[in-house]
Every structure is written in C-alpha cells, then in structure tokens.
Amino acid sequence: MTSIITKKLFLFGSIVAAAFIPLVTTNAQISTGTYYLFSRNSALNLDATGAATANGTPLDQWIYNAGTNQQWTVNSLGGGQYSIIGVGSGRAVDVKGVSTANDAICQLSDYHGGNNQKVTLTSRGSGFYSPVFVHSGKVMNVKGASTANGAAIVQYNNDGALNSQWRFQDVALAAQPQTNSSYYSKYLGNVNATKGKTIKLIFDGDSITDFWMGTGSSVWNANYSSKSAYDFGISADKTANLWWRLLGGESDGLNTQLVVLLIGTNDAGANVDNATIASRVTIIVNEYLTRCANAHLLLMGIFPRGHPTDTALRAKIVDINNRISSLNGTGGGRVIYKDIGSKFLNSDGTVNTSLLADSLHPSSAGYQVWANNIKTIVNQYVP
C-alpha cells in the first residue's frame, strides 16, 4: 500500500527539482495575446522592477498584483519565435548587451527585432514553457532558483530547471492567486509534498477543508490516513484562487481516484453574484475531471453559515447550491453532488454551534458529521 501522506509545508526547491522530469516539446506554439507569466519554482509573476517603464529597467519576480508591469504581450513572429512586450512600458524583454553569458540580466528595451529580443518556447507540460533566447540558446531564468520577491531575472543554460519554467496565463482569465506571501508557501508546499506520489483521495477547498489538518485532524486520521489522502485546501481561498492552483498543475499526475471538493463560501461572503460562483465551480469541476482523468469527484454543497435563519447569506448559499446541484451525474457520471448542510442545523433551522462553532467552520464533531455522511462514497471509490 502507498505510504500515508501527511500535509506539511516545504519551500519548493531541490527535492522536487531532482525528481521532476518535465515533458519537453521544442518550438511549442501559443497564441498571440496578453499573459501573466508565473514562475513554476516560486509561483511569483514576471515583473518590471518597481513598475518602471524606462529602457534598461531590470526584470524581477514579484507577488501577483494585476498591474500592467506584470502583463506581457506575446507576439508570434513566425517560425516558432516570439517577442515579449511589457503592457505597461511598451518595451521588449531583452538580454542586456546582447550577452550570451549565464546570469546576464534580462531587462526592458525598445523593440528592435534583435535575436536577444526573440524567444522560442519549450513546453514543459501542464501549461508551462521555457522561453529560450534565440541569440544565446539560454533560457529566461529566476536567478539562483530564488522564491523571494525581487529576485532577478537572468538568462541561464536551458537545463529544464523549475526556475526556468513559466506558466503563460491569459490576462482575461479570472483565475488568480491570493495576494499574500504565506499563500505561495502553502501552495508550493502542497505541490512539493505530493508531486510524483500517488494520492488516491484529494480534499480541496478553503479554510473549512484546510482545517481538517487542525480541528479535524483526529477524524482525518481515523478515516483517511490509510487511504493515501491529501488535503489541498487553503484558508481564505475563493473559486478564482483554487482555479489558479489547478492551472498550475497542482493535482496533475497523482493517479487520484476521488476528489472531494467544497468551495464557494468565501465568494458568497464577498457578495460575488450567484451565477458567477456557480460558473466558476463548474469550471473547477471540469478542470479536475480533465487533470484527474480516472477520478470521480464528490462535489459538496456549500455548508450553511450565519446563525439567523433569515440572513441574506443563508438564502444566497441555498441558491448557489441549487445551481451547482445540476452538475450531479455530469462528466459521464463521474460527478456526484451531495448537500449535507441540513446535518449542521437545529430543528428550527439555526446553525448547530456544537458542529459549526463560529457558524461557519466545523468543530471536531462537525468534521465527524462530514466524514460520516460521505463515508459510503469515499469507501466505494477509495476502498
């Protein structure tokens, strides 16, 4: 039996790099368009330092902020070559001084069509590419494989290292990370802890799922520790954040048999409209079905929150759940919808605070209720 996986936090580094064997496709093609470029090693965004626009501005990596200094127009030049132009500056990504040396600085410069401003793209799988400068054959790289804000972008040997791989994400896509540094450590820690392993059972979502590893740990250990299970949930995640994690390949290649998904309460609390929440849940479900091609997905109805029975938020959650319940049986029968919200309520419809202590997050007894009510499904797909 596959050994038990315990959720821990690691910085993404040499452990994964040594074991990671990327898919390589030379002269890969992407569509001309405007993108964010996220580093596979750090998950941080390619950035013009200090949001400067002048010639010679060095490039660095920085936490996502949606600024135009982090947006890049990628233009196909034909023959598998591309230019990368900063939206905020109108200037090209350029290797300083047309250098061919390792660690030569990448910067902004007026576009002149030189080969130090042209790249080919080597596909590394899961939507990641290594941009290779035509003049040098070297790749755009985060110096020293740093995961820190402000780390310099340089060119280096095209050796497939994770710090030379970038996710090209269409700017128009609503998927986005949380904007705090601890989020990146948590996300990368989850990737580091699971990559290359068999994870038969995935739980994913926001703090309600994340807290399986705290408040719910005794219930988790009793029910899932023998099932090669892993908890990908991250506190404060909205649908756009979980979607962003999936696009980064978080669940790829894990040979998963069942995904338990609970997401959307933070969107509801932020008053995102119901149709948008349901649409993004649908996108996440389909993304999981694609990336975990042999898995079934147990989609949980959003748990009730707020103690009074007549709050607008309670009614909002009921409506969202009605919308996402239509996903039951989709994906060729792979999606199973289950709403256990009533199990957390008293007979008068108020939240049972012995189960949802703050009228939102389960107590240990609340996690036991959750486990009891999905036990048959879990055991069916992950015996």
Side-chain angles (χ1 to χ4, degrees):
M1 179 177 288
T2 305
S3 60
I4 297 169
I5 307 297
T6 303
K7 187 175 187 181
K8 298 179 180 178
L9 291 180
F10 298 94
L11 286 179
F12 199 79
S14 59
I15 296 174
V16 172
F20 184 81
I21 303 175
L23 170 69
V24 177
T25 305
T26 57
N27 296 323
Q29 300 292 311
I30 67 169
S31 300
T32 292
T34 304
Y35 297 86
Y36 296 112
L37 273 64
F38 293 102
S39 167
R40 196 169 200 166
N41 185 63
S42 65
L44 300 176
N45 202 356
L46 179 67
D47 177 281
T49 301
T53 60
N55 278 326
T57 297
L59 304 184
D60 62 10
Q61 65 177 4
W62 200 263
I63 194 168
Y64 168 84
N65 62 22
T68 56
N69 62 308
Q70 296 188 339
Q71 299 176 14
W72 306 91
T73 300
V74 180
N75 296 306
S76 176
L77 304 174
Q81 296 183 0
Y82 299 85
S83 63
I84 303 175
I85 310 294
V87 170
S89 65
R91 293 189 162 92
V93 172
D94 177 295
V95 178
K96 186 175 182 179
V98 202
S99 174
T100 59
N102 280 333
D103 290 329
I105 291 171
C106 295
Q107 62 178 10
L108 295 177
S109 186
D110 289 330
Y111 182 69
H112 51 68
N115 284 339
N116 64 319
Q117 297 184 334
K118 297 177 182 178
V119 298
T120 59
L121 298 176
T122 301
S123 175
R124 301 296 182 178
S126 297
F128 288 87
Y129 299 87
S130 294
V132 181
F133 288 104
V134 171
H135 78 292
S136 65
K138 294 181 174 6
V139 70
M140 189 171 72
N141 179 290
V142 181
K143 187 172 183 178
S146 174
T147 59
N149 270 332
I153 307 302
V154 298
Q155 69 173 5
Y156 203 79
N157 292 335
N158 186 13
D159 56 8
L162 294 173
N163 58 313
S164 68
Q165 299 181 30
W166 302 84
R167 188 207 313 180
F168 285 61
Q169 181 179 303
D170 192 323
V171 166
L173 206 61
Q176 60 188 39
Q178 291 186 39
T179 53
N180 63 80
S181 58
S182 63
Y183 182 78
Y184 292 86
S185 294
K186 186 94 164 182
Y187 161 71
L188 292 172
N190 287 341
V191 173
N192 191 21
T194 58
K195 196 58 65 180
K197 297 178 180 176
T198 293
I199 307 296
K200 296 180 181 178
L201 174 61
I202 287 175
F203 279 73
D204 206 353
D206 47 47
S207 57
I208 296 172
T209 301
D210 193 1
F211 292 174
W212 273 113
M213 297 296 100
T215 306
S217 60
S218 62
V219 182
W220 177 277
N221 291 336
N223 288 273
Y224 309 125
S225 62
S226 63
K227 292 182 179 292
S228 300
Y230 194 84
D231 177 5
F232 279 108
I234 297 184
S235 293
D237 252 11
K238 297 183 176 72
T239 51
N241 309 136
L242 197 159
W243 181 11
W244 181 87
R245 292 194 276 115
L246 285 178
L247 291 175
E250 182 180 67
S251 64
D252 291 7
L254 302 182
N255 299 310
T256 303
Q257 296 172 11
L258 180 67
V259 176
V260 180
L261 176 65
L262 173 60
I263 191 67
T265 194
N266 291 321
D267 300 71
N271 206 31
V272 177
D273 71 89
N274 297 359
T276 296
I277 297 171
S279 175
R280 289 181 183 173
V281 171
T282 302
I283 289 168
I284 290 166
V285 167
N286 289 331
E287 196 72 44
Y288 253 123
L289 293 179
T290 299
R291 293 175 180 274
C292 299
N294 298 315
H296 283 71
L297 187 143
L298 174 56
L299 175 62
M300 306 300 304
I302 300 171
F303 293 173
R305 61 183 292 181
H307 196 63
T309 59
D310 60 351
T311 63
L313 191 54
R314 289 283 294 277
K316 185 177 181 72
I317 288 171
V318 169
D319 182 66
I320 296 165
N321 284 345
N322 284 338
R323 293 169 185 263
I324 66 175
S325 67
S326 65
L327 293 170
N328 186 56
T330 59
R334 291 166 60 197
V335 179
I336 306 150
Y337 175 78
K338 191 171 183 65
D339 184 356
I340 64 170
S342 63
K343 306 296 183 180
F344 299 106
L345 302 177
N346 297 312
S347 58
D348 62 357
T350 57
V351 169
N352 184 337
T353 54
S354 70
L355 300 178
L356 299 179
D358 59 357
S359 297
L360 173 61
H361 297 94
S363 62
S364 180
Y367 281 106
Q368 187 65 65
V369 168
W370 189 358
N372 290 346
N373 280 276
I374 64 173
K375 185 173 184 178
T376 299
I377 296 171
V378 170
N379 287 343
Q380 177 180 353
Y381 294 107
V382 191

